[in-house]
Amino acid sequence: MKNIEQNKYYIWLSSIDKLSTREKIKLLDKYKDPAILFNKTKKDLEEELLDYFENVNKIIKAITNLYYKIRLEINIKNIQKYKLEVISCNDKEYPKQLKYVSDYPVCLYCKGNIGLLSEKKKIAIIGCRDYSKYGEKIAKEFAYKLAQENIVIVSGGARGIDSFAHQGTLNTDKGTIVVLGNGIDYIYPPENKNLEKQILQNNGLIISEYIIGTKPSKYTFPARNRIISGISDGVLVIEAKEKSGTLITVDFALEQGKNIYAIPGNIDSSNTKGTNELIKQGAKLVTTPEDILEDF
């Protein structure tokens, strides 16, 4: 376990769910060290933040809320209990690419091989939860072959294509990165308990921006997608419906200037309407891993 004590106040700031990530970043831009912010009085903050935030009263109320300060020691004990490493946005281990995301996480809570975050080549593989056998086969094959070429596979650990992408790496000696939309203490979906265990045993890494105890929700999953694309050099989409959550990750990736790759599919299948549309819009059509490797 590394960096817990030195990142104590980053942990506090990251745990304040009444502040948005952008608000936390803005506070760090002003105060640099969250320990300074932690010790500010309400009067100090009223004087210093009056012209800095439009919703200043809400910001001050969140910062001075004793609940988050009292919970800090509990959160640290939980981090130690689950043997997590904490990487703040000020640490050298923090992925450089992620800092280009406008609302990058204040902290990453990590379990496993954090060295994967500094690997030069990473690709996200994402797709439907309601997968087809075709999608399962392609996800495993591409993940395996790309991992064999020293490209780290990144995905969200969700049911379907995400899980198959992670599984595809397990027959190699290369680790994969799972980005969760909940605290690391939650296994979601529950059937992935064994998969997460195998990933950690196979030199992999599980990360989350959420403190221990954070449950998955309809808000946390879309938010984690910016991290999936943010730490990756490109995004491969295998099966996506016309209005798929997968396309949220694609939107983030496009904003971040990342390459988008898409596997073509049956025009009669609802599972591939999204991928086929991405190809029409300019995503690179790929039919073999070599189509991706030529860009890496």
Side-chain angles (χ1 to χ4, degrees), residues 8-72:
K8 178 176 181 177
Y9 297 104
Y10 284 97
I11 295 168
W12 161 72
L13 184 59
S14 95
S15 75
I16 304 177
D17 53 11
K18 300 297 183 185
L19 294 176
S20 71
T21 305
R22 283 190 172 88
E23 288 166 343
K24 293 172 186 177
I25 292 169
K26 195 170 181 181
L27 287 165
L28 285 176
D29 285 343
K30 181 171 179 63
Y31 291 101
K32 309 306 179 188
D33 184 348
I36 296 171
L37 185 60
F38 184 89
N39 292 302
K40 290 287 181 180
T41 66
K42 183 179 179 183
K43 185 178 178 181
D44 290 337
L45 294 168
E46 285 173 343
E47 292 173 356
E48 295 166 5
L49 298 179
L50 184 60
D51 299 321
Y52 206 66
F53 289 100
E54 288 184 9
N55 53 343
V56 67
N57 290 331
K58 172 229 171 187
I59 301 292
I60 293 172
K61 186 177 179 181
I63 295 169
T64 56
N65 191 328
L66 286 176
Y67 169 80
Y68 298 109
K69 295 186 176 184
I70 293 168
R71 286 288 305 179
L72 176 57

Side-chain angles (χ1 to χ4, degrees), residues 5 34 46 58 64 66 82 111 125 175 185 233 264 276 290:
E5 188 57 36
E46 285 173 343
K58 172 229 171 187
T64 56
L66 286 176
Y82 284 91
K111 191 172 184 67
I125 298 182
D185 55 322
D233 301 296
N276 290 342
E290 286 70 29

Side-chain angles (χ1 to χ4, degrees), residues 232-243:
S232 302
D233 301 296
V235 174
L236 170 62
V237 184
I238 301 174
E239 294 195 328
K241 295 184 178 181
E242 197 169 14
K243 295 181 179 179

